[in-house]
Amino acid sequence: MRDMQPEAYKIAMVKLNGMYSYCTGGACRHKAILRYFGQTLDKDNCTACDMCLGEMDCMDNSLETAQKILSCVVRIEQRFGGGYTALVLTGSGDKRILENNHDALSTYGLLSGYSKHTVHDWIEQLEGQDYLRKVGDFNVLNVTEKGLQVLKGNETPRLLKPAEKPANVSRVVEDSWEGVDKGLFEVLRKLRTTIARKKGVPAYIVFGDATLRDMARLRPSDHVRLLEVKGIGEKKSRQYGQAVLAAIKDYCHASSIDMDVDGIPL
Ligand SMILES: [Zn+2]
């Protein structure tokens, strides 16, 4: 992008920002696409996209969070952009904020439990749903008529839960094949199919894949160790423990591999 003409760079950045808003916007996908082409969708819920079907993980207190953001935009007199607003809400000690005495506002630090990045994303989401409008060359935030309804509590925007940090260890462990004996995994998968058929339930009800992987990784020799496996509680241990432990023991003896491997500390 650095070799681009300044004008082309500017246009590319506007397009990139638009794409980012589309992905993180919290608004109906169909509405957003139609809006891009200058058209409107005459219903609030298209009943077909991930947003409208409620497949996205939304904040439980979207209304309250949105009200904090919108009232902050009002308090700073609708004269600043999203980045600055996010700094005020997260209680930043930024020089500009102190110079403007915005650390004295009642909305200063109202969202200090969140990162500036998260708050900025929510601002974009509010803009994507027409509760905020960006005005002028500096993208100064203005509260729209729809936004005022949020402040009155008459309307609730959709704000997405902040994305989990990539360093979320348990997630990584769940998805990872590290230390998993694939032969044993296959044996356990077949056992799961047999159990599921016998009980007439779907396989995932018996054990999830992550649980099978963890079993094939930790290779427990008794019920106590079995409880260390992800997704195994007292109930599953009682229901299927015997069959699982027997299968693990047989496999490990036959292939001369260790049992009771220590898990990755979480
Ligand atoms: Zn939709």
Side-chain angles (χ1 to χ4, degrees):
M1 293 249 279
R2 248 182 242 156
D3 301 332
M4 278 182 174
Q5 295 292 320
E7 198 52 33
Y9 177 83
K10 211 169 138 188
I11 292 168
M13 283 311 287
V14 168
K15 295 222 181 267
L16 182 63
N17 283 332
M19 186 56 80
Y20 183 78
S21 300
Y22 175 73
C23 296
T24 61
C28 167
R29 308 287 186 190
H30 289 131
K31 227 181 224 183
I33 290 170
L34 285 176
R35 190 160 85 154
Y36 181 83
F37 291 108
Q39 296 172 352
T40 48
L41 184 72
D42 292 333
K43 44 188 179 179
D44 276 339
N45 193 312
C46 78
T47 67
C49 77
D50 55 348
M51 293 292 174
C52 293
L53 290 173
E55 287 167 358
M56 302 301 287
D57 215 0
C58 288
M59 295 282 288
D60 298 327
N61 56 348
S62 284
L63 176 61
E64 204 188 306
T65 308
Q67 285 175 331
K68 287 176 182 174
I69 294 170
L70 295 174
S71 64
C72 185
V73 172
V74 174
R75 297 260 178 244
I76 54 179
E77 295 164 340
Q78 315 195 88
R79 284 172 38 224
F80 297 86
Y84 184 90
T85 309
L87 286 176
V88 175
L89 279 160
T90 51
S92 156
D94 188 275
K95 202 168 133 233
R96 281 183 308 156
I97 292 178
L98 305 181
E99 279 169 6
N100 291 330
N101 274 332
H102 283 158
D103 55 327
L105 294 175
S106 58
T107 51
Y108 177 78
L110 267 188
L111 293 173
S112 59
Y114 298 97
S115 71
K116 180 197 148 202
H117 188 82
T118 295
V119 175
H120 202 164
D121 275 353
W122 285 333
I123 291 172
E124 294 293 328
Q125 288 163 29
L126 290 172
E127 199 253 342
Q129 294 166 71
D130 296 324
Y131 297 109
L132 283 171
R133 190 186 304 122
K134 290 178 185 169
V135 179
D137 283 347
F138 298 104
N139 284 325
V140 166
L141 294 178
N142 279 191
V143 177
T144 63
E145 192 52 47
K146 233 177 134 197
L148 293 176
Q149 293 307 312
V150 173
L151 284 172
K152 288 179 191 159
N154 293 337
E155 222 179 296
T156 303
R158 270 187 291 223
L159 293 181
L160 304 181
K161 271 191 188 157
E164 293 290 339
K165 291 220 161 58
N168 183 334
V169 183
S170 69
R171 188 75 222 143
V172 171
V173 170
E174 261 175 23
D175 288 338
S176 149
W177 282 90
E178 204 182 318
V180 175
D181 186 290
K182 296 212 171 136
L184 179 56
F185 176 83
E186 279 309 314
V187 167
L188 293 169
R189 210 161 62 96
K190 282 190 189 125
L191 175 64
R192 174 175 70 178
T193 308
T194 311
I195 295 174
R197 282 215 186 111
K198 219 188 282 178
K199 298 194 65 129
V201 295
Y204 69 86
I205 296 283
V206 180
F207 299 123
D209 277 1
T211 299
L212 291 190
R213 276 200 296 273
D214 214 26
M215 281 180 192
R217 179 187 294 122
L218 303 181
R219 307 190 281 274
S221 67
D222 58 29
H223 280 276
V224 177
R225 284 287 201 156
L226 183 61
L227 288 172
E228 288 171 17
V229 171
K230 268 187 178 306
I232 299 285
E234 292 286 351
K235 193 173 163 211
K236 292 227 160 154
S237 165
R238 225 177 314 126
Q239 280 179 305
Y240 314 120
Q242 218 173 348
V244 166
L245 291 171
I248 294 173
K249 193 176 279 174
D250 285 350
Y251 179 89
C252 291
H253 283 180
S255 342
S256 307
I257 55 167
D258 286 340
M259 298 177 76
D260 295 332
V261 177
D262 283 326
I264 300 165
L266 298 180

